[in-house]
Amino acid sequence: MASARMIDKNQIAAEQAMFRAFANSYLRELNSGNPVFHRIGERNFDCVEISLPSRHVVLRIEMKSRSLCGMHLFGQIWMRQDAGPNWHEIEPILAVHLLVLGAREAGSATHRQADVELLERILQSCQATKRYLDAADRAPPLAGFIAAEQSLYFGHPLHPTPKSLQGMSNWQQDVYAPELRGGFQLAYFAAAAHLVREDSAGIAVTSIVGSLLGNDAGN
């Protein structure tokens, strides 16, 4: 008896978040595309069409929700060869790859290196998001301000690589990444009062630090 292949919901969510963040940045900063309707049977899908001549392909991205100042929400993605009539659906990770490589008509060696680095950071962001979602499934739910800060698994919605964490190793993420509920001891350094500048919307910063240090504040 054949068993159905299990679909990893967190992997799907991470890849969708990866595409959503990158596509929002791409449409706002590089190419807003052309609004079109993609017809399948009797149904019309509101889409944006992006031509990538250097890749010899055309993409259509379903716009499930448009925003003038926030993030767009996307649905299905279709592709066809620029000289062909047939569209077929593609995965978000392939669409991102095509958008990165198709952003330049003729890339130099320097551009190529930048594209490779960007792709690396996009994939790192996707992997980190998947890791955070997996960790959240295993951890007991919490409430409060710190819990809210630790639950920002997808990062900034208009940043192309919101969770790339370039330069941070896995063990460092375990200790320092708020999404993994890491904790570490803060280090304090004394400074002469005349060298310190501070500003706060409420309680003075020195008062906050003093309350954190407790009995050690005067040492």
Side-chain angles (χ1 to χ4, degrees):
M1 178 178 176
S3 60
R5 183 172 64 91
M6 296 295 292
I7 299 176
D8 190 326
K9 63 180 180 63
N10 288 340
Q11 183 65 42
I12 294 173
E15 291 181 13
Q16 290 174 339
M18 169 197 66
F19 178 80
R20 182 170 62 245
F22 184 82
N24 269 290
S25 301
Y26 185 97
L27 292 174
R28 280 175 166 78
E29 299 181 22
L30 291 179
N31 182 356
S32 60
N34 298 312
V36 297
F37 284 104
H38 184 77
R39 188 174 182 84
I40 298 179
E42 298 299 317
R43 184 177 177 186
N44 283 324
F45 293 84
D46 181 18
C47 294
V48 61
E49 182 175 288
I50 300 174
S51 179
L52 302 172
S54 64
R55 300 291 102 190
H56 307 292
V57 298
V58 181
L59 299 182
R60 281 184 177 175
I61 304 168
E62 180 188 2
M63 305 292 289
K64 301 194 76 169
S65 175
R66 297 176 184 267
S67 175
L68 292 176
C69 57
M71 67 174 179
H72 305 308
L73 297 180
F74 307 105
Q76 300 174 81
I77 311 164
W78 296 274
M79 180 188 81
R80 69 167 172 83
Q81 299 297 316
D82 55 8
N86 298 322
W87 295 90
H88 61 275
E89 189 174 355
I90 62 173
E91 297 290 336
I93 194 167
L94 175 56
V96 167
H97 192 189
L98 291 169
L99 289 172
V100 170
L101 296 183
R104 308 182 210 274
E105 289 304 310
S108 65
T110 302
H111 288 160
R112 189 69 170 187
Q113 291 173 358
D115 291 343
V116 170
E117 181 180 353
L118 177 56
L119 283 170
E120 178 185 19
R121 295 186 64 179
I122 291 170
L123 293 176
Q124 286 175 342
S125 183
C126 182
Q127 290 173 329
T129 301
K130 166 69 162 55
R131 184 182 183 192
Y132 299 155
L133 293 174
D134 288 343
D137 285 346
R138 297 189 297 267
L142 299 176
F145 174 77
I146 292 180
E149 288 288 299
Q150 293 176 337
S151 65
L152 301 176
Y153 306 122
F154 299 112
H156 197 291
L158 302 182
H159 191 292
T161 63
K163 293 294 181 180
S164 65
L165 302 176
Q166 190 175 37
M168 180 177 283
S169 65
N170 285 338
W171 74 263
Q172 289 172 322
Q173 290 185 48
D174 290 335
V175 177
Y176 298 110
E179 300 88 347
L180 297 177
R181 302 184 184 181
F184 54 92
Q185 179 65 48
L186 294 176
Y188 295 90
F189 299 88
H194 71 279
L195 298 176
V196 177
R197 292 184 180 180
E198 65 174 270
D199 193 10
S200 173
I203 303 172
V205 177
T206 49
S207 298
I208 296 174
V209 173
S211 66
L212 292 173
L213 290 174
N215 294 332
D216 295 329
N219 295 336

